[in-house]
Amino acid sequence: MTSRGMWTSRMGFILAAAGSAVGLGNVWKLPYVTGTNGGGYFILIYLVAVLALGFPIMIAEFVLGRNTGTSPVGTYRKLAGKGSPFVVLGWMGVAAGFIILSYYSVVAGWTLHYVILSITNAFTGREPNEIRALFGDLYAHGPLNLFWHTIFMAITVAVVLGGVQKGIERSSKIMMPLLFLLLAILVGYGVFSDGFGRTVSFIFLPKAENLSAKTVLEAIGQAFFSLSLGMGAMLTYGSYLDKKVDLVRSSLLVCLMDTGVALLACFAIFPIIFSHGLEPSAGPGLVFQTLPVVFSDLPGGSVLAVLFFILLFFAALTSAVSLLEVVASYFIDERTWNRRRATLLSGTIIFLLGIPSALSGSDLLSSVTILGRNVFDTMDNLASNWMLPLGGLGMTLFLGWRLPSTVSRSEFCLGSRHSGMYRSWITCIRYVAPIGLSLVFLYQIGLLGS
Ligand code: PFF
């Protein structure tokens, strides 16, 4: 057990789990999908999903991982039996790890490019539309994307090679609080800008025309993605945990931190969009096209810009590390490979898989679409909106209906001062989460009207 590695402290574990949750999903993805979905309902459903699905499912992942002390595939094998169909859930988690990290690394590469742009003062003295054009140039530049994708994957592999304690835990401890602080400063700027009033109504006023099955599914997908749920990342982190940790409290803290950063990011970005007359639905480039405009405007902005993109890079790294860890832990636990071989091989395959996403804005691939989406969006849609919520649904069915309640109860209560919450939790896992998720899927595939 110890040869797999363990967290050194409860705090270290919580920060690493929060490090997995807080990432590009909060700062890059939430604002842009909120924009493309018209705000309002999207945020409301996202918040409800965090509370009603995310929080209980995070506890569920920790319960399963800590109980078996092994990777997602091993967990289902151990608890459901070798040939059980539930083992497919573990496989789907590993597949989702491959897919998500392949394009996640491309976006993380953009943060590195923006670190360089900030260091070289590329935003100072420029008009907002010139600053925005910088992103378009990067997106269309295949070799540059490929370069940063390579660098980012190499760094991620290096951290995971370091193992659970030294590599993952250490890097989370310093960077997370700093990111929070910097976002708070940017929100402070937003509060005093012209766009703040419109931001509040855009984010909090639901408009009926923006409610559709697609919006609901994307909001739920975003909650899963942002909290790193549905593919066994939290399960894997739970497997390195000792029995003294309170799983309910830990999950609550991680959910609060993640949602806090996500909302801060929206309040940092939307005021700029509205005060500059920009479109909230600009898509994946949104953060990169908006925040530099503020940096070019603020005294000391170029220093803040460097700091911000470095922190965003670290937020991406701690999440990427958890994605690679899911894949590598499969080979380590199930194939008894050593960490080095498992990490290098998984990292290489993911790197190769990411090449089409890295080139998706270039001349070579920009015209290639699959069901109306480019390669990059297809990967994201498949993983976030389908695989993660389906993985979550399968997990609730397994935990709620297949696993003996003596097992779930004793693992839930171990180390916890919240044992009294077991009944509400298991009710949510048995009924609320599976019924809610199934309805959304039935709507989405058109079986319940739309
Ligand atoms: N939660 C991460 C983010 O918000 O950027 C992304 C992620 C990490 C998703 C790990 C899934 C996962 F297993």
PDB file of all heavy atoms in Angstrom, residues 61-90:
ATOM      1  N   GLU A  61     -16.749   9.326  -4.609  1.00  0.00           N
ATOM      2  CA  GLU A  61     -15.446   8.942  -5.185  1.00  0.00           C
ATOM      3  C   GLU A  61     -14.427   8.696  -4.071  1.00  0.00           C
ATOM      4  O   GLU A  61     -13.650   7.742  -4.126  1.00  0.00           O
ATOM      5  CB  GLU A  61     -14.945  10.015  -6.159  1.00  0.00           C
ATOM      6  CG  GLU A  61     -15.774  10.091  -7.430  1.00  0.00           C
ATOM      7  CD  GLU A  61     -14.955  10.454  -8.671  1.00  0.00           C
ATOM      8  OE1 GLU A  61     -13.714  10.430  -8.620  1.00  0.00           O
ATOM      9  OE2 GLU A  61     -15.585  10.746  -9.708  1.00  0.00           O
ATOM     10  N   PHE A  62     -14.432   9.572  -3.068  1.00  0.00           N
ATOM     11  CA  PHE A  62     -13.480   9.383  -1.965  1.00  0.00           C
ATOM     12  C   PHE A  62     -13.781   8.083  -1.210  1.00  0.00           C
ATOM     13  O   PHE A  62     -12.885   7.350  -0.820  1.00  0.00           O
ATOM     14  CB  PHE A  62     -13.522  10.573  -0.992  1.00  0.00           C
ATOM     15  CG  PHE A  62     -12.942  11.854  -1.557  1.00  0.00           C
ATOM     16  CD1 PHE A  62     -13.373  13.098  -1.103  1.00  0.00           C
ATOM     17  CD2 PHE A  62     -11.949  11.821  -2.534  1.00  0.00           C
ATOM     18  CE1 PHE A  62     -12.838  14.283  -1.617  1.00  0.00           C
ATOM     19  CE2 PHE A  62     -11.409  13.010  -3.054  1.00  0.00           C
ATOM     20  CZ  PHE A  62     -11.861  14.232  -2.594  1.00  0.00           C
ATOM     21  N   VAL A  63     -15.079   7.812  -1.005  1.00  0.00           N
ATOM     22  CA  VAL A  63     -15.480   6.589  -0.289  1.00  0.00           C
ATOM     23  C   VAL A  63     -14.945   5.357  -1.036  1.00  0.00           C
ATOM     24  O   VAL A  63     -14.313   4.472  -0.455  1.00  0.00           O
ATOM     25  CB  VAL A  63     -17.026   6.517  -0.135  1.00  0.00           C
ATOM     26  CG1 VAL A  63     -17.495   5.111   0.172  1.00  0.00           C
ATOM     27  CG2 VAL A  63     -17.490   7.483   0.949  1.00  0.00           C
ATOM     28  N   LEU A  64     -15.190   5.327  -2.349  1.00  0.00           N
ATOM     29  CA  LEU A  64     -14.770   4.160  -3.127  1.00  0.00           C
ATOM     30  C   LEU A  64     -13.246   4.022  -3.161  1.00  0.00           C
ATOM     31  O   LEU A  64     -12.693   2.943  -2.949  1.00  0.00           O
ATOM     32  CB  LEU A  64     -15.304   4.251  -4.560  1.00  0.00           C
ATOM     33  CG  LEU A  64     -16.810   4.070  -4.731  1.00  0.00           C
ATOM     34  CD1 LEU A  64     -17.216   4.293  -6.183  1.00  0.00           C
ATOM     35  CD2 LEU A  64     -17.230   2.667  -4.286  1.00  0.00           C
ATOM     36  N   GLY A  65     -12.565   5.142  -3.424  1.00  0.00           N
ATOM     37  CA  GLY A  65     -11.101   5.089  -3.554  1.00  0.00           C
ATOM     38  C   GLY A  65     -10.435   4.696  -2.252  1.00  0.00           C
ATOM     39  O   GLY A  65      -9.545   3.846  -2.221  1.00  0.00           O
ATOM     40  N   ARG A  66     -10.889   5.315  -1.150  1.00  0.00           N
ATOM     41  CA  ARG A  66     -10.238   5.004   0.130  1.00  0.00           C
ATOM     42  C   ARG A  66     -10.543   3.568   0.546  1.00  0.00           C
ATOM     43  O   ARG A  66      -9.716   2.889   1.138  1.00  0.00           O
ATOM     44  CB  ARG A  66     -10.677   5.985   1.210  1.00  0.00           C
ATOM     45  CG  ARG A  66      -9.871   5.785   2.485  1.00  0.00           C
ATOM     46  CD  ARG A  66     -10.140   6.832   3.503  1.00  0.00           C
ATOM     47  NE  ARG A  66     -11.475   6.715   4.076  1.00  0.00           N
ATOM     48  CZ  ARG A  66     -11.913   7.449   5.093  1.00  0.00           C
ATOM     49  NH1 ARG A  66     -11.127   8.364   5.626  1.00  0.00           N
ATOM     50  NH2 ARG A  66     -13.131   7.304   5.560  1.00  0.00           N
ATOM     51  N   ASN A  67     -11.744   3.104   0.222  1.00  0.00           N
ATOM     52  CA  ASN A  67     -12.101   1.752   0.616  1.00  0.00           C
ATOM     53  C   ASN A  67     -11.209   0.707  -0.038  1.00  0.00           C
ATOM     54  O   ASN A  67     -10.783  -0.259   0.593  1.00  0.00           O
ATOM     55  CB  ASN A  67     -13.567   1.486   0.280  1.00  0.00           C
ATOM     56  CG  ASN A  67     -14.012   0.135   0.791  1.00  0.00           C
ATOM     57  OD1 ASN A  67     -14.025  -0.849   0.052  1.00  0.00           O
ATOM     58  ND2 ASN A  67     -14.312   0.078   2.085  1.00  0.00           N
ATOM     59  N   THR A  68     -10.916   0.888  -1.328  1.00  0.00           N
ATOM     60  CA  THR A  68     -10.152  -0.155  -2.016  1.00  0.00           C
ATOM     61  C   THR A  68      -8.655   0.149  -2.054  1.00  0.00           C
ATOM     62  O   THR A  68      -7.849  -0.739  -2.238  1.00  0.00           O
ATOM     63  CB  THR A  68     -10.619  -0.310  -3.476  1.00  0.00           C
ATOM     64  OG1 THR A  68     -10.427   0.951  -4.121  1.00  0.00           O
ATOM     65  CG2 THR A  68     -12.071  -0.709  -3.548  1.00  0.00           C
ATOM     66  N   GLY A  69      -8.309   1.423  -1.925  1.00  0.00           N
ATOM     67  CA  GLY A  69      -6.895   1.803  -2.013  1.00  0.00           C
ATOM     68  C   GLY A  69      -6.293   1.479  -3.370  1.00  0.00           C
ATOM     69  O   GLY A  69      -5.110   1.176  -3.487  1.00  0.00           O
ATOM     70  N   THR A  70      -7.109   1.591  -4.408  1.00  0.00           N
ATOM     71  CA  THR A  70      -6.556   1.287  -5.734  1.00  0.00           C
ATOM     72  C   THR A  70      -7.194   2.168  -6.822  1.00  0.00           C
ATOM     73  O   THR A  70      -8.045   2.999  -6.536  1.00  0.00           O
ATOM     74  CB  THR A  70      -6.712  -0.229  -6.036  1.00  0.00           C
ATOM     75  OG1 THR A  70      -6.099  -0.507  -7.275  1.00  0.00           O
ATOM     76  CG2 THR A  70      -8.159  -0.660  -6.085  1.00  0.00           C
ATOM     77  N   SER A  71      -6.751   1.976  -8.063  1.00  0.00           N
ATOM     78  CA  SER A  71      -7.203   2.827  -9.183  1.00  0.00           C
ATOM     79  C   SER A  71      -8.681   2.531  -9.523  1.00  0.00           C
ATOM     80  O   SER A  71      -9.246   1.556  -9.034  1.00  0.00           O
ATOM     81  CB  SER A  71      -6.342   2.511 -10.403  1.00  0.00           C
ATOM     82  OG  SER A  71      -6.668   1.218 -10.860  1.00  0.00           O
ATOM     83  N   PRO A  72      -9.296   3.384 -10.375  1.00  0.00           N
ATOM     84  CA  PRO A  72     -10.715   3.173 -10.689  1.00  0.00           C
ATOM     85  C   PRO A  72     -11.027   1.770 -11.239  1.00  0.00           C
ATOM     86  O   PRO A  72     -11.986   1.128 -10.786  1.00  0.00           O
ATOM     87  CB  PRO A  72     -11.011   4.240 -11.738  1.00  0.00           C
ATOM     88  CG  PRO A  72     -10.026   5.324 -11.455  1.00  0.00           C
ATOM     89  CD  PRO A  72      -8.798   4.651 -10.949  1.00  0.00           C
ATOM     90  N   VAL A  73     -10.235   1.287 -12.190  1.00  0.00           N
ATOM     91  CA  VAL A  73     -10.521  -0.044 -12.743  1.00  0.00           C
ATOM     92  C   VAL A  73     -10.411  -1.085 -11.622  1.00  0.00           C
ATOM     93  O   VAL A  73     -11.292  -1.952 -11.453  1.00  0.00           O
ATOM     94  CB  VAL A  73      -9.540  -0.399 -13.891  1.00  0.00           C
ATOM     95  CG1 VAL A  73      -9.755  -1.831 -14.362  1.00  0.00           C
ATOM     96  CG2 VAL A  73      -9.709   0.571 -15.044  1.00  0.00           C
ATOM     97  N   GLY A  74      -9.354  -0.995 -10.831  1.00  0.00           N
ATOM     98  CA  GLY A  74      -9.148  -1.940  -9.728  1.00  0.00           C
ATOM     99  C   GLY A  74     -10.267  -1.850  -8.702  1.00  0.00           C
ATOM    100  O   GLY A  74     -10.706  -2.869  -8.150  1.00  0.00           O
ATOM    101  N   THR A  75     -10.753  -0.630  -8.477  1.00  0.00           N
ATOM    102  CA  THR A  75     -11.827  -0.440  -7.495  1.00  0.00           C
ATOM    103  C   THR A  75     -13.078  -1.210  -7.909  1.00  0.00           C
ATOM    104  O   THR A  75     -13.655  -1.956  -7.118  1.00  0.00           O
ATOM    105  CB  THR A  75     -12.159   1.066  -7.365  1.00  0.00           C
ATOM    106  OG1 THR A  75     -11.031   1.704  -6.783  1.00  0.00           O
ATOM    107  CG2 THR A  75     -13.368   1.303  -6.490  1.00  0.00           C
ATOM    108  N   TYR A  76     -13.487  -1.046  -9.173  1.00  0.00           N
ATOM    109  CA  TYR A  76     -14.694  -1.754  -9.605  1.00  0.00           C
ATOM    110  C   TYR A  76     -14.453  -3.258  -9.669  1.00  0.00           C
ATOM    111  O   TYR A  76     -15.337  -4.050  -9.368  1.00  0.00           O
ATOM    112  CB  TYR A  76     -15.183  -1.212 -10.958  1.00  0.00           C
ATOM    113  CG  TYR A  76     -15.827   0.155 -10.821  1.00  0.00           C
ATOM    114  CD1 TYR A  76     -15.209   1.296 -11.312  1.00  0.00           C
ATOM    115  CD2 TYR A  76     -17.044   0.295 -10.168  1.00  0.00           C
ATOM    116  CE1 TYR A  76     -15.793   2.550 -11.170  1.00  0.00           C
ATOM    117  CE2 TYR A  76     -17.639   1.549 -10.015  1.00  0.00           C
ATOM    118  CZ  TYR A  76     -17.004   2.666 -10.517  1.00  0.00           C
ATOM    119  OH  TYR A  76     -17.584   3.903 -10.371  1.00  0.00           O
ATOM    120  N   ARG A  77     -13.248  -3.660 -10.049  1.00  0.00           N
ATOM    121  CA  ARG A  77     -12.945  -5.097 -10.086  1.00  0.00           C
ATOM    122  C   ARG A  77     -13.067  -5.700  -8.699  1.00  0.00           C
ATOM    123  O   ARG A  77     -13.633  -6.766  -8.506  1.00  0.00           O
ATOM    124  CB  ARG A  77     -11.531  -5.320 -10.585  1.00  0.00           C
ATOM    125  CG  ARG A  77     -11.453  -5.334 -12.073  1.00  0.00           C
ATOM    126  CD  ARG A  77     -10.211  -6.083 -12.537  1.00  0.00           C
ATOM    127  NE  ARG A  77     -10.169  -6.032 -13.982  1.00  0.00           N
ATOM    128  CZ  ARG A  77      -9.101  -5.756 -14.695  1.00  0.00           C
ATOM    129  NH1 ARG A  77      -7.946  -5.524 -14.089  1.00  0.00           N
ATOM    130  NH2 ARG A  77      -9.159  -5.731 -15.987  1.00  0.00           N
ATOM    131  N   LYS A  78     -12.514  -4.949  -7.739  1.00  0.00           N
ATOM    132  CA  LYS A  78     -12.473  -5.460  -6.375  1.00  0.00           C
ATOM    133  C   LYS A  78     -13.871  -5.521  -5.762  1.00  0.00           C
ATOM    134  O   LYS A  78     -14.243  -6.494  -5.122  1.00  0.00           O
ATOM    135  CB  LYS A  78     -11.611  -4.500  -5.541  1.00  0.00           C
ATOM    136  CG  LYS A  78     -10.870  -5.144  -4.397  1.00  0.00           C
ATOM    137  CD  LYS A  78      -9.770  -4.169  -3.989  1.00  0.00           C
ATOM    138  CE  LYS A  78      -9.108  -4.532  -2.698  1.00  0.00           C
ATOM    139  NZ  LYS A  78      -7.965  -3.666  -2.421  1.00  0.00           N
ATOM    140  N   LEU A  79     -14.643  -4.462  -5.989  1.00  0.00           N
ATOM    141  CA  LEU A  79     -15.929  -4.376  -5.298  1.00  0.00           C
ATOM    142  C   LEU A  79     -17.075  -5.026  -6.072  1.00  0.00           C
ATOM    143  O   LEU A  79     -18.038  -5.502  -5.476  1.00  0.00           O
ATOM    144  CB  LEU A  79     -16.280  -2.910  -5.018  1.00  0.00           C
ATOM    145  CG  LEU A  79     -15.342  -2.177  -4.047  1.00  0.00           C
ATOM    146  CD1 LEU A  79     -15.701  -0.702  -3.970  1.00  0.00           C
ATOM    147  CD2 LEU A  79     -15.404  -2.806  -2.649  1.00  0.00           C
ATOM    148  N   ALA A  80     -16.988  -5.035  -7.412  1.00  0.00           N
ATOM    149  CA  ALA A  80     -18.109  -5.575  -8.188  1.00  0.00           C
ATOM    150  C   ALA A  80     -17.805  -6.977  -8.705  1.00  0.00           C
ATOM    151  O   ALA A  80     -18.700  -7.702  -9.113  1.00  0.00           O
ATOM    152  CB  ALA A  80     -18.419  -4.650  -9.362  1.00  0.00           C
ATOM    153  N   GLY A  81     -16.548  -7.345  -8.721  1.00  0.00           N
ATOM    154  CA  GLY A  81     -16.176  -8.657  -9.267  1.00  0.00           C
ATOM    155  C   GLY A  81     -15.549  -8.475 -10.633  1.00  0.00           C
ATOM    156  O   GLY A  81     -15.874  -7.519 -11.345  1.00  0.00           O
ATOM    157  N   LYS A  82     -14.651  -9.391 -10.995  1.00  0.00           N
ATOM    158  CA  LYS A  82     -13.824  -9.196 -12.193  1.00  0.00           C
ATOM    159  C   LYS A  82     -14.593  -8.980 -13.483  1.00  0.00           C
ATOM    160  O   LYS A  82     -14.340  -8.068 -14.238  1.00  0.00           O
ATOM    161  CB  LYS A  82     -12.858 -10.374 -12.336  1.00  0.00           C
ATOM    162  CG  LYS A  82     -11.444  -9.925 -12.057  1.00  0.00           C
ATOM    163  CD  LYS A  82     -10.445 -10.926 -12.507  1.00  0.00           C
ATOM    164  CE  LYS A  82      -9.125 -10.189 -12.604  1.00  0.00           C
ATOM    165  NZ  LYS A  82      -7.993 -10.990 -12.551  1.00  0.00           N
ATOM    166  N   GLY A  83     -15.588  -9.838 -13.741  1.00  0.00           N
ATOM    167  CA  GLY A  83     -16.266  -9.717 -15.036  1.00  0.00           C
ATOM    168  C   GLY A  83     -17.457  -8.765 -15.002  1.00  0.00           C
ATOM    169  O   GLY A  83     -18.215  -8.700 -15.970  1.00  0.00           O
ATOM    170  N   SER A  84     -17.644  -8.036 -13.915  1.00  0.00           N
ATOM    171  CA  SER A  84     -18.849  -7.207 -13.785  1.00  0.00           C
ATOM    172  C   SER A  84     -18.882  -6.077 -14.815  1.00  0.00           C
ATOM    173  O   SER A  84     -17.853  -5.470 -15.127  1.00  0.00           O
ATOM    174  CB  SER A  84     -18.895  -6.618 -12.378  1.00  0.00           C
ATOM    175  OG  SER A  84     -19.738  -5.505 -12.358  1.00  0.00           O
ATOM    176  N   PRO A  85     -20.078  -5.767 -15.336  1.00  0.00           N
ATOM    177  CA  PRO A  85     -20.175  -4.648 -16.291  1.00  0.00           C
ATOM    178  C   PRO A  85     -19.751  -3.318 -15.673  1.00  0.00           C
ATOM    179  O   PRO A  85     -19.375  -2.390 -16.392  1.00  0.00           O
ATOM    180  CB  PRO A  85     -21.663  -4.617 -16.671  1.00  0.00           C
ATOM    181  CG  PRO A  85     -22.356  -5.588 -15.792  1.00  0.00           C
ATOM    182  CD  PRO A  85     -21.350  -6.471 -15.162  1.00  0.00           C
ATOM    183  N   PHE A  86     -19.778  -3.212 -14.341  1.00  0.00           N
ATOM    184  CA  PHE A  86     -19.379  -1.952 -13.712  1.00  0.00           C
ATOM    185  C   PHE A  86     -17.902  -1.627 -13.955  1.00  0.00           C
ATOM    186  O   PHE A  86     -17.496  -0.473 -13.874  1.00  0.00           O
ATOM    187  CB  PHE A  86     -19.653  -1.977 -12.199  1.00  0.00           C
ATOM    188  CG  PHE A  86     -21.106  -1.753 -11.866  1.00  0.00           C
ATOM    189  CD1 PHE A  86     -21.899  -2.792 -11.395  1.00  0.00           C
ATOM    190  CD2 PHE A  86     -21.683  -0.507 -12.042  1.00  0.00           C
ATOM    191  CE1 PHE A  86     -23.232  -2.583 -11.102  1.00  0.00           C
ATOM    192  CE2 PHE A  86     -23.033  -0.283 -11.749  1.00  0.00           C
ATOM    193  CZ  PHE A  86     -23.804  -1.333 -11.274  1.00  0.00           C
ATOM    194  N   VAL A  87     -17.113  -2.677 -14.259  1.00  0.00           N
ATOM    195  CA  VAL A  87     -15.685  -2.418 -14.509  1.00  0.00           C
ATOM    196  C   VAL A  87     -15.508  -1.480 -15.716  1.00  0.00           C
ATOM    197  O   VAL A  87     -14.544  -0.718 -15.796  1.00  0.00           O
ATOM    198  CB  VAL A  87     -14.916  -3.753 -14.704  1.00  0.00           C
ATOM    199  CG1 VAL A  87     -13.444  -3.510 -14.995  1.00  0.00           C
ATOM    200  CG2 VAL A  87     -15.079  -4.632 -13.462  1.00  0.00           C
ATOM    201  N   VAL A  88     -16.491  -1.517 -16.632  1.00  0.00           N
ATOM    202  CA  VAL A  88     -16.441  -0.626 -17.796  1.00  0.00           C
ATOM    203  C   VAL A  88     -16.312   0.836 -17.350  1.00  0.00           C
ATOM    204  O   VAL A  88     -15.668   1.659 -18.012  1.00  0.00           O
ATOM    205  CB  VAL A  88     -17.718  -0.809 -18.664  1.00  0.00           C
ATOM    206  CG1 VAL A  88     -17.785   0.217 -19.781  1.00  0.00           C
ATOM    207  CG2 VAL A  88     -17.757  -2.212 -19.213  1.00  0.00           C
ATOM    208  N   LEU A  89     -16.933   1.162 -16.197  1.00  0.00           N
ATOM    209  CA  LEU A  89     -16.851   2.543 -15.695  1.00  0.00           C
ATOM    210  C   LEU A  89     -15.406   2.947 -15.430  1.00  0.00           C
ATOM    211  O   LEU A  89     -14.996   4.076 -15.692  1.00  0.00           O
ATOM    212  CB  LEU A  89     -17.649   2.691 -14.399  1.00  0.00           C
ATOM    213  CG  LEU A  89     -19.162   2.515 -14.512  1.00  0.00           C
ATOM    214  CD1 LEU A  89     -19.779   2.519 -13.128  1.00  0.00           C
ATOM    215  CD2 LEU A  89     -19.737   3.625 -15.372  1.00  0.00           C
ATOM    216  N   GLY A  90     -14.643   1.996 -14.885  1.00  0.00           N
ATOM    217  CA  GLY A  90     -13.229   2.273 -14.640  1.00  0.00           C
ATOM    218  C   GLY A  90     -12.493   2.524 -15.943  1.00  0.00           C
ATOM    219  O   GLY A  90     -11.711   3.467 -16.074  1.00  0.00           O
TER     220      GLY A  90
END
